[in-house]
Every structure is written in C-alpha cells, then in structure tokens.
C-alpha cells in the first residue's frame, strides 16, 4: 500500500490508474480508524479496482473551541488497518498542502445545512463540502463511500454532487456499532469509563423511539421528549438536539406520515459531543 502526502504525486498515480481504465473508490476520513471506517474501505475494495483512503483532520470543519488540536491521530496504526481492509493508497496531506497560503475557495450547500449539526456547529459543513470537493477533484473516484452515522453529512454531499454535476456515485453504508449499541467514533476515545457506559443510552433511546412509532405514535413532540428524558437519566449527559426530520429536505416534522423519517441526536458526555441517528420507515 502506498502512503502519499503530496498532491502532485497523488495526481500522477491517479492519472496512471485512469489511463489503465481502472475504477477508483474513495473513502475520506479524519483517521484514527475503527471498524466503521474499515467497513467503508472493505466495500470500496469489493466494488473498485483501486481504493484510496484519505486521512486528514480538516481544520476547516472544526469551530473555535472545538477539538481540532486534541483530535486523536495515529497514522502508523491507520496505515496498517487500511491496508488490511483493502486500501491501495492512503493520502494524508498536511494542512498547508490542502490550504496553501492565499487559499480562498469554499463550497456551501444551503438549506440542508441549516438544522441539526449545521445549527450547533456553524461553518462545519462548509469545511466538509470544501475538503470533500477537493478530494473528489484530486482522486476523481467512480464511487465515494460515507457512513450513515453522519447522516446529515451524507445528505449534504449527495446534494453537492447533484448540484455541481460531479461525475461519481455516493455510497452510504450502515453505522457500525459496539455490542451495547454505541456507534463507533474516533471521539469515543475521549470518554471516561463511566461516560462510555452511559453513552449507550443514545442508541437505546433511538430504538425506544422506533418502537413507539411502530406502536402507532405519530406526534414527534412526544417522541422527542421521551428520547431527551431517557438520555438525561445518564448522570454525565447533556442534550444538544433531538430532531425528527423529513428525509428529503431534513426539515423538522411535527407528524410522522407514511414513508421514511430520520431521528437524529447529538448529546454531550462530559466534554465529548456524540451524534447518532436512525431511519424509521412507516
Ligand atoms: P470521520 O473520520 O469521523 O470523519 O469519518 C469518516 C467516514 O467514516 C464518514 O463517512 C463517517 O460517516 C464514517 N463513519 C464514522 N463512524 C462510522 C460508523 N460507526 N459506522 C459507519 N461509518 C462510520
């Protein structure tokens, strides 16, 4: 497996693969890889001739006071894991390589980025869409792989690809979880043992909401209140948002109608902000 840090070398390698007619899969990540990331890499390896994983803690998508500096990094272990999952190349540029001095171009998807994490983390999605657009231009993948864990991110990137007529398919794959239901996340490393135990309440509350809906509840206010109540039973928990939104435009809904809706939660355990979601079909 190749480890590439410079844009010029990446471009040369990609050009050669394209000339050979190979299909390319891309898995963008911020590293500190876990089974969630690896499931995307395995899928990319199964569906493409050449797989590029990117590892870049993108400063543009972190707000002031967020965890950019503390974000866990372990490139050596990541390269081993990526190789075992079928990656052919890891692209891990420096911040200067991606945003040289004088950098001035940003991509913004409107509306879909207004609620949920967009409301709690102003500027976050501009950072995400800008870095992902740059990676798409550099790697020119046939397919790019993202996790359902970051549901709003996936919706926003699908919209960017559609609106900018980008020539690739976005593949969204299921959230990989710990045995107690907690969604895998590089940020889980921040949790103390007590917080880690409590954090399982997020998924538990989402599953309770799902069964409430299956039993016939259609008013989202009651469902959201129950989720909040369940999460707040945990001693270290603070709720950032609990939303039930339409799957087309991510706007909040008051009544669940036929079709699919997304229940999304962001909660803090100590200083650690975790997100999770489920799609519910009625
Ligand atoms: P990150 O490194 O956190 O930016 O995540 C990189 C990619 O991995 C994104 O597409 C995430 O949605 C995806 N991902 C993160 N955690 C999980 C998980 N638990 N299951 C599936 N995909 C995940």
């Amino acid at each position: 497996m190749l480890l590439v840090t410079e844009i010029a070398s990446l471009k040369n390698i990609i050009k050669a693969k394209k000339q050979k007619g190979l299909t390319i899969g891309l898995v963008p990540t911020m590293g500190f890889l876990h089974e969630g990331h690896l499931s995307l890499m395995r899928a990319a390896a199964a569906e493409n001739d050449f797989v590029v994983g990117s590892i870049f803690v993108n400063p543009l998508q972190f707000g002031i006071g967020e965890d950019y500096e503390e974000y866990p990094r372990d490139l050596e272990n990541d390269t081993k894991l990526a190789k075992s999952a079928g990656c052919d190349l890891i692209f891990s540029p420096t911040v200067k390589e991606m945003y040289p001095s004088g950098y001035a171009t940003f991509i913004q998807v409107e509306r879909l980025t207004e609620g949920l994490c967009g409301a709690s983390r102003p500027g976050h999605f501009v950072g995400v869409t800008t870095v992902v657009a740059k990676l798409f231009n550099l790697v020119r993948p046939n397919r790019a792989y993202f996790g359902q864990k970051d549901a709003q991110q996936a919706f926003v990137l699908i919209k960017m690809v559609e609106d900018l007529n980008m020539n690739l398919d976005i593949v969204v794959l299921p959230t990989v979880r710990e045995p107690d239901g907690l969604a895998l996340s590089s940020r889980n490393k921040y949790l103390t043992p007590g917080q880690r135990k409590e954090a399982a309440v997020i998924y538990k509350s989402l599953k309770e909401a799902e069964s409430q809906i299956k039993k016939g509840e259609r008013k989202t206010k009651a469902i959201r209140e129950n989720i909040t109540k369940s999460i707040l039973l945990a001693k270290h928990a603070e709720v950032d948002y609990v939303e039930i939104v339409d799957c087309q435009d991510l706007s909040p809904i008051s009544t669940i109608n036929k079709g699919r809706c997304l229940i999304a939660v962001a909660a803090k355990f100590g200083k650690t902000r975790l997100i999770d979601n489920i799609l519910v079909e009625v």
Side-chain angles (χ1 to χ4, degrees):
M1 192 187 69
L2 298 162
L3 175 61
V4 175
T5 56
E6 281 167 14
I7 283 174
S9 356
L10 177 67
K11 277 183 161 176
N12 282 333
I13 296 166
I14 296 296
K15 194 173 165 195
K17 301 297 169 193
K18 289 270 177 195
Q19 272 167 357
K20 279 194 191 162
L22 300 184
T23 57
I24 300 177
L26 170 67
V27 183
T29 82
M30 297 205 299
F32 210 71
L33 301 182
H34 51 62
E35 270 303 313
H37 301 117
L38 300 182
S39 70
L40 304 181
M41 290 176 177
R42 286 190 202 104
E47 294 168 4
N48 302 274
D49 301 319
F50 190 75
V51 176
V52 176
S54 64
I55 295 183
F56 179 61
V57 184
N58 175 30
L60 214 57
Q61 70 190 67
F62 288 79
I64 296 163
E66 290 187 358
D67 57 342
Y68 173 68
E69 301 290 345
E70 299 83 34
Y71 198 85
R73 293 157 169 93
D74 187 351
L75 187 58
E76 201 180 313
N77 194 45
D78 283 353
T79 48
K80 282 186 208 147
L81 292 173
K83 186 177 173 200
S84 75
C87 254
D88 299 297
L89 185 156
I90 285 288
F91 176 54
S92 181
T94 60
V95 172
K96 240 181 142 190
E97 187 74 357
M98 290 298 269
Y99 307 115
S101 96
Y103 187 87
T105 305
F106 303 90
I107 305 274
Q108 179 165 18
V109 173
E110 296 184 349
R111 289 196 290 278
L112 288 179
T113 57
E114 279 168 14
L116 307 172
C117 288
S120 322
R121 304 184 69 190
H124 169 67
F125 284 112
V126 170
V128 170
T129 40
T130 300
V131 79
V132 171
K134 281 171 72 74
L135 291 168
F136 286 175
N137 283 336
L138 291 170
V139 177
R140 294 186 281 142
N142 299 78
R143 301 175 192 86
Y145 295 79
F146 297 90
Q148 176 63 32
K149 152 90 178 1
D150 298 88
Q152 187 177 18
Q153 170 173 281
F155 278 108
V156 167
L157 292 172
I158 288 167
K159 188 71 181 143
M160 174 182 82
V161 164
E162 182 190 331
D163 286 355
L164 295 181
N165 311 107
M166 291 172 158
N167 201 13
L168 77 154
D169 293 329
I170 299 268
V171 182
V172 183
L173 295 175
T175 303
V176 178
R177 301 180 178 282
E178 297 281 5
D180 66 358
L182 177 66
L184 296 194
S185 162
S186 307
R187 289 191 169 97
N188 292 351
K189 180 186 162 31
Y190 300 142
L191 300 168
T192 63
Q195 292 165 353
R196 164 65 193 82
K197 221 171 149 192
E198 286 184 2
V201 75
I202 301 178
Y203 186 57
K204 201 169 146 249
S205 70
L206 287 170
K207 293 301 281 181
E208 282 166 7
E210 182 183 43
S211 74
Q212 217 185 331
I213 295 168
K214 301 272 180 222
K215 280 185 198 142
E217 179 64 75
R218 291 292 175 267
K219 292 289 169 210
T220 59
K221 188 166 179 280
I223 302 164
R224 290 168 57 217
E225 279 170 3
N226 275 344
I227 296 173
T228 304
K229 234 187 267 165
S230 292
I231 293 175
L232 290 181
L233 287 176
K235 199 171 93 201
H236 301 99
E238 245 176 82
V239 170
D240 178 355
Y241 64 74
V242 173
E243 297 282 4
I244 303 182
V245 298
D246 176 271
C247 270
Q248 298 302 314
D249 61 6
L250 299 187
S251 63
I253 52 177
S254 54
T255 307
I256 296 172
N257 294 313
K258 228 179 151 41
R260 281 199 319 172
C261 66
L262 178 78
I263 313 182
V265 168
K268 272 175 110 177
F269 289 78
K271 281 189 186 155
T272 307
R273 183 177 180 279
L274 301 176
I275 58 170
D276 202 350
N277 67 83
I278 53 170
L279 286 164
V280 180
E281 179 117 40
V282 291

